[in-house]
Amino acid sequence: MERYLSDPPDGGYGWVVVTSAFFIMGLTAAVFKNFGLFFLEIQSHYDVLNSTTSWVTSTTIAVFHLGAPLASALSMHLSHRTVIVVGGLLATSGMIIASLDLSLPWMYLSIGVLQGLGVSFAWIPANSMVSHYFRRWRPIAYAIASSGECVFAMGFSPLFQWLIDSYSWQGTLLIIGGLQLNLCVCGALMKPLPAARTSIQDKPVFKESRTSNKGTFQWSLLQRPELLLYIVFAILAAAGFFIPPLFLVPYASSLGMTQYWAASILSVLALADLLGRLACGWLANLRLVRNLQLLTMVVTALGVVLLLLPIAQCYWSILVFASLYGFLFGCVVAIHVTTIVDIVGLEGFDSALGLFMLLRSSGGFVGPPAAGWLVDWTHDFSASFYFSGLCLVLSGVFVVLVDRLVKKKKLKLPDSCTETTDHPILKADGADV
């Protein structure tokens, strides 16, 4: 009978997959990360409050996360390649409709729903493919792939600002839609892992257990307390994650900086983000500490930096805090998805990632509007950073609880065959690689 090879190749065509995922991250997450450049333009165009404008972003975040289980399920039943191509078409359609400047509710529908769903359909399968192609080098492979978000964000910040000045924000959205059509090309490069014709009688029971759930979305994973606590961490982290990129440019502008100076902060942030992802991916690959311990340290430090950011009142001091924020944010992003493998194993990764993104949506949906409401109420952009930092510090507490549960489970099951990224790699027959 047909089965996918249970042992990831850890190289070969996997590096083509990583390259494709690199561009997918750049054409999705990097676009979103620079949406703060459009914030004041859209707000002044429609003459609405900060909280009202924030709903455009929060709708995108919510749909992006809500579409994750659907993207995971379709990837299992169709293919990762097909889902990414569909995601590219949806994202492009959303930007083209938004560029028509029909009305603010149409912005919610086009950028919020179509763009959000398109990004979800591209981002989720791309992450999954990288995890399936790599085992030993998974942390560094994912760090390289996710760094596409940073590399593209560095270039997009000045580019988008120049496009806005030259062609208006509507024309810029149309151009972005054209760029995102390249997601279809990236999807076409996502070749499925080769299938092996195997006989159940000839294979060990362990190999069969690794493949028995292929193609089935595992809702039963929600019964695992460690995954539920990790999802609580994700909800709180998502509430704080998406606020700083959205409000950094308006905050800098409120201090009297020009748009180009404010936009340059996002470029520096993206560079620091890139360094953080590569450094943390490399550190995670060394396995000096458990991934969950590393995640606790960096997410707590990230929250503290955001709580202190409002003391910065000039360009250079903001640049220092933005750099620290970018580096620590990159560290969190480099390991927070691959850590799911430590909790549920590779066989449950696709389903767990879908559930993780689905339930995390509540934090991403509420965070930006809540921060916008605080800014409207206090008339001070600093309130948004206090809120973001508090959410992230609190999220670190739940990572500690998850680490304790996972460690306790490993002590109870010392002979467990579940794959993690914190221990020596095991082959199907149990031998060390």
Side-chain angles (χ1 to χ4, degrees), residues 1-9 72-82 128-129 132-133 135 190-200 203 206-216 346-347 350 428:
M1 61 187 295
E2 283 283 314
R3 296 201 182 279
Y4 286 106
L5 294 174
S6 62
D7 293 326
S72 295
L74 288 175
S75 296
M76 294 177 193
H77 287 89
L78 299 174
S79 71
H80 294 78
R81 172 184 287 166
T82 302
S128 178
M129 285 291 282
H132 281 291
Y133 261 90
R135 177 187 289 175
M190 290 293 191
K191 184 173 72 174
L193 278 168
R197 190 170 296 277
T198 62
S199 171
I200 295 178
K203 293 293 178 182
F206 175 73
K207 185 147 188 166
E208 167 60 18
S209 68
R210 289 282 299 274
T211 57
S212 58
N213 288 322
K214 183 68 181 176
T216 304
L346 183 59
E347 70 279 359
D350 283 346

Side-chain angles (χ1 to χ4, degrees), residues 6-91:
S6 62
D7 293 326
D10 253 334
Y13 195 82
W15 295 113
V16 177
V17 171
V18 169
T19 303
S20 179
F22 176 91
F23 280 91
I24 289 172
M25 302 302 170
L27 293 170
T28 55
V31 171
F32 175 78
K33 182 172 282 188
N34 281 283
F35 196 75
L37 297 172
F38 296 89
F39 188 90
L40 294 177
E41 299 288 339
I42 294 174
Q43 182 187 27
S44 61
H45 181 77
Y46 291 110
D47 192 23
V48 292
L49 297 172
N50 288 287
S51 54
T52 305
T53 309
S54 298
W55 281 110
V56 177
T57 303
S58 63
T59 304
T60 308
I61 296 169
V63 174
F64 165 60
H65 289 86
L66 290 171
L70 180 59
S72 295
L74 288 175
S75 296
M76 294 177 193
H77 287 89
L78 299 174
S79 71
H80 294 78
R81 172 184 287 166
T82 302
V83 177
I84 293 173
V85 170
V86 172
L89 295 174
L90 287 171

